Structures are given as C-alpha cells and as structure tokens.
Amino acid sequence: MNAPETTGPVPSGHAGAVAHEGHDPAEVSRCGLLLFIFSEAFLFAAFISARLYLAGLAKPEHVNLALGGVMTAILVASSVLSYRGLAALGRGDRRAAARWLVGTVLLGLVFVAGVAIEWSTAEFSITSAYGSAFFSITGLHATHVIAGLVALSLAIRLLRRGHFAGASTWGLRGCVIYWTF
C-alpha cells in the first residue's frame, strides 16, 4: 500500500497528520471530536432509556439528592474554570490559563470522590432495577470525567511546556469542549 501524497508540510502539533489538499487537519480534528461527542451522547441516551425501561420514574426512598446537587454544581463550576483558562490563554496569560485549568482538574477530582461517596453510601443494590441503572449511568459518567481529567492534565503539561501558542490552541480547546460535555 502506498503512503498518501502530501501537498505540504505536516502542521506542528498534529502527530501523524498528513495535510491533504482541501483537508485542514485542525478541521478534521474538530469534526472527529464532534462525532465522538455525538457518539457519547447516544451512549448516555441509551443508558438513560434503559434506566427508564427498567425502573420507570420510580426511585428508592433513600437517594441522596443533596449530594447529587452538590456534584452537579461542582461540574458546572469546573466548566466555568476551564473556559476562564481558555480566556486567559487568549489574552496570552499562560500562567493564569494553567492555574484555571488546574482548578478545573481539582474540581473534577472532587466530583470523582463524590461518586465514590455516592456509591459507598447507596442504600440500594446493584441487583435491583434502579440500582443497576444507577450504577451503570454514574459509572459511565465517572469514566467520561476521568477521561476528561487525563486529557486536561496532559494539556496542562503541554501548556506549561510552551504548546498552544498563537493560533495553535485547538488541542486545549478540544479538551475543554470535551470537558464541558
């Protein structure tokens, strides 16, 4: 099999990318992220549909709604911090951008700890219809958050090493877009 012909140099920051005539690697990356987010949205929708099918709208008496509310507020706050980081980078303040993004990661870790608390204090079993749906959906969401934490941590490391300068901020913006989903 022959390697594809390139029409120019491979843009920096796009490991293994090949510049094809008419195909901007950054645009292809954006499209790929969008498709990935759509696929995750469908996966979440399938899990929520399964929950409604298995347990209807009923919920056990002892569901900790206060903890769920606090965890939601933590994720919303972390999204605000991530966008503050992008704004700081847009102003050329790399140190502030890194600080905002570290704050995002710390709040994400607090959220994951909240999931652990939620699971360990649940007064229902995974063998019940509600429990099966609850642990599946929250496990999927925790996995999504952990993947976002890994991506943001790597992006912070790259930011501190001088990456994401000028117009080459897509990698970091992509991480923030994924995080806020």
Side-chain angles (χ1 to χ4, degrees):
M1 198 180 226
N2 294 334
E5 290 184 34
T6 62
T7 58
V10 175
S12 65
H14 293 82
V18 177
H20 293 281
E21 188 172 329
H23 298 286
D24 175 21
E27 189 62 33
V28 171
S29 294
R30 284 187 283 275
C31 182
L33 178 62
L34 182 64
L35 290 173
F36 182 72
I37 287 174
F38 278 143
S39 71
E40 277 204 341
F42 280 105
L43 184 59
F44 276 104
F47 274 56
I48 292 167
S49 297
R51 181 262 191 256
L52 293 172
Y53 176 78
L54 291 172
L57 295 175
K59 67 175 179 58
E61 192 175 305
H62 302 289
V63 173
N64 192 340
L65 294 177
L67 179 59
V70 168
M71 291 169 54
T72 299
I74 287 169
L75 282 182
V76 170
S78 74
S79 292
V80 170
L81 294 185
S82 69
Y83 277 100
R84 297 284 309 241
L86 282 180
L89 184 60
R91 293 188 311 273
D93 191 348
R94 301 174 70 74
R95 290 178 59 99
R99 281 194 307 271
W100 288 115
L101 294 170
V102 166
T104 302
V105 168
L106 291 175
L107 287 179
L109 291 171
V110 170
F111 174 84
V112 172
V115 171
I117 291 168
E118 195 172 41
W119 284 6
S120 66
T121 61
E123 295 185 27
F124 44 86
S125 169
I126 195 169
T127 59
S128 70
Y130 180 85
S132 178
F134 173 84
F135 289 109
S136 296
I137 291 170
T138 57
L140 175 64
H141 189 222
T143 301
H144 170 85
V145 168
I146 291 167
L149 290 171
V150 169
L152 283 170
S153 296
L154 292 171
I156 292 166
R157 184 175 182 199
L158 290 171
L159 177 65
R160 288 180 171 160
R161 291 181 173 191
H163 292 264
F164 310 123
S168 300
T169 61
W170 164 245
L172 183 58
R173 285 186 303 124
C175 288
V176 169
I177 290 168
Y178 178 81
W179 179 257
T180 57
F181 170 74

